[in-house]
Amino acid sequence: PYGAVPRSARAAACGGAAERKAKYLDRGRELYELGNYDKAKIEARNALQIDPKYAEAIYLLGQIDEAKIDYPAAAGNYLAIINLDPKHIAAHIRLGRLYLLGRAPDKATEMVEAVFKMSDRHPDALALRAGVRAATGKTAGAIEDAQAVLKVQPDHLDTIALLAGIYSRNQQAEKG
């Protein structure tokens, strides 16, 4: 029959869709790295038109929204990823950072604990917990976590900045 599509053509179309969405995502990441957030967002959305549950495209949208300081949209994207893929560690970390930024340390701690269930001593989760501890006045625990991060990842910028802030505050307290 003329209307039937051969099985090999259907398989090729599926492979083509996977390739197209990967190309859109790759191009979106390149544009994101270049700081061209609007065009990066278009590429991520193109990938999502092919696969609306493409977690990595949603993650890129979250990163773009975060870079554009649209934290509610970023949080919504990260939460959507976690709902699609509860084991997406990077989404937990990013959402936890946004919670900490929004002064919701309990919610940030939930994200840390979720990551620790998947990866016992994940450096980004330890760094996030250090931030939570610093924000809640648990300075000794924050320093301990930060030092643990720097042992495995000496160039972890968030942790370096956190420790610098803690030490700076401690020096100011000693002078005062």
Side-chain angles (χ1 to χ4, degrees), residues 27-43:
R27 181 73 180 131
R29 284 180 175 152
E30 287 173 18
L31 291 163
Y32 169 77
E33 292 299 323
L34 294 171
N36 194 337
Y37 303 132
D38 293 333
K39 286 187 179 178
K41 192 173 241 185
I42 290 168
E43 296 295 329

Side-chain angles (χ1 to χ4, degrees), residues 1 7 40 49 55 63 69 86 123 145 167 175:
R7 183 181 305 239
Q49 284 187 340
Q63 290 177 294
I69 311 175
D145 282 345
Y167 293 145
K175 288 179 184 177

Side-chain angles (χ1 to χ4, degrees), residues 1-171:
Y2 291 106
V5 177
R7 183 181 305 239
S8 60
R10 283 194 305 252
C14 289
E19 285 176 28
R20 282 193 337 270
K21 78 178 187 180
K23 282 184 183 178
Y24 285 131
L25 182 64
D26 289 343
R27 181 73 180 131
R29 284 180 175 152
E30 287 173 18
L31 291 163
Y32 169 77
E33 292 299 323
L34 294 171
N36 194 337
Y37 303 132
D38 293 333
K39 286 187 179 178
K41 192 173 241 185
I42 290 168
E43 296 295 329
R45 287 194 173 140
N46 285 340
L48 288 170
Q49 284 187 340
I50 296 168
D51 180 359
K53 294 183 178 185
Y54 191 20
E56 290 310 307
I58 299 169
Y59 183 75
L60 179 58
L61 286 176
Q63 290 177 294
I64 293 165
D65 289 332
E66 200 173 339
K68 292 177 83 173
I69 311 175
D70 186 351
Y71 298 136
N77 283 313
Y78 297 141
L79 195 54
I81 295 165
I82 292 167
N83 288 332
L84 282 172
D85 179 7
K87 295 186 187 262
H88 198 289
I89 289 176
H92 281 90
I93 298 294
R94 290 263 190 183
L95 183 57
R97 288 174 58 195
L98 291 176
Y99 283 143
L100 184 57
L101 207 64
R103 300 179 199 266
D106 292 344
K107 292 256 189 207
T109 299
E110 288 175 24
M111 295 297 108
V112 168
E113 289 171 358
V115 172
F116 281 157
K117 286 178 185 173
M118 295 178 270
S119 179
D120 189 22
R121 303 278 298 163
H122 194 283
D124 290 332
L126 274 172
L128 179 56
R129 187 171 73 180
V132 169
R133 286 179 166 177
T136 57
K138 298 174 183 154
T139 306
I143 292 171
E144 182 182 316
D145 282 345
Q147 289 173 339
V149 171
L150 294 177
K151 279 182 185 171
V152 295
Q153 199 172 339
D155 61 345
H156 198 281
L157 295 180
D158 289 344
T159 303
I160 293 168
L162 176 70
L163 272 178
I166 291 171
Y167 293 145
S168 176
R169 277 194 304 273
N170 284 348
Q171 281 183 338

